[in-house]
Amino acid sequence: MAIIAPSILSADFANLERDIHNIESNGGDWVHVDVMDGMFVPNITIGMPVVKALRKVTKLPLDVHLMVQQPIRYVEEFVKNGADWLTIHIEADTQENTLAALDKIRAMGCKAAISLKPATPAEAAVPYLT
């Protein structure tokens, strides 16, 4: 089954609620939220206040993609602010901390996912598949 999850990076931030409703009315299944810290990846984007605001205006699942160093630092706040899915990069921390972050995400009732940078071999994901 295909899932359509438009990223809000393409939204008009002055009219974010309107654009979220546009996703809903045009068949979007999820709302994809790219969070970048300017360290793990060069761009800086959205944070917890935006996720909290989005949660108030949509019932669609919020698919929050943390492109940040040491994502375990942010798990609790993003889940509390409304993330339904939390995706973290295996390259963003040690294996031990990444596994702990995935456990914490699940323990808080959120769906956990991992992501790989394009240059990372797919086999690198094996230790995280539980």
Side-chain angles (χ1 to χ4, degrees), residues 64-110:
V64 179
H65 181 185
L66 297 181
M67 290 178 268
V68 301
Q69 289 183 351
Q70 300 172 322
I72 195 166
R73 298 176 297 152
Y74 303 106
V75 165
E76 187 171 338
E77 288 301 313
F78 275 104
V79 174
K80 284 182 180 178
N81 282 291
D84 296 291
W85 282 85
L86 210 49
T87 301
I88 62 175
H89 277 264
I90 66 171
E91 305 92 347
D93 207 340
T94 65
Q95 181 174 340
E96 178 181 42
N97 285 346
T98 301
L99 289 167
L102 293 168
D103 288 343
K104 187 173 190 174
I105 293 165
R106 291 184 198 104
M108 294 188 72
C110 191

Side-chain angles (χ1 to χ4, degrees), residues 5-9 30-34 61-65 67 87:
S7 172
I8 64 167
L9 281 183
W30 296 358
V31 175
H32 185 82
V33 182
D34 288 304
L62 297 179
D63 172 31
V64 179
H65 181 185
M67 290 178 268
T87 301

Side-chain angles (χ1 to χ4, degrees), residues 90-91 116-126:
I90 66 171
E91 305 92 347
L116 308 172
K117 287 184 171 185
T120 302
E123 299 81 37
V126 171

Side-chain angles (χ1 to χ4, degrees), residues 7-22:
S7 172
I8 64 167
L9 281 183
S10 61
D12 175 353
F13 279 77
N15 293 289
L16 193 52
E17 182 175 2
R18 179 204 64 202
D19 287 359
I20 295 300
H21 293 307
N22 194 21

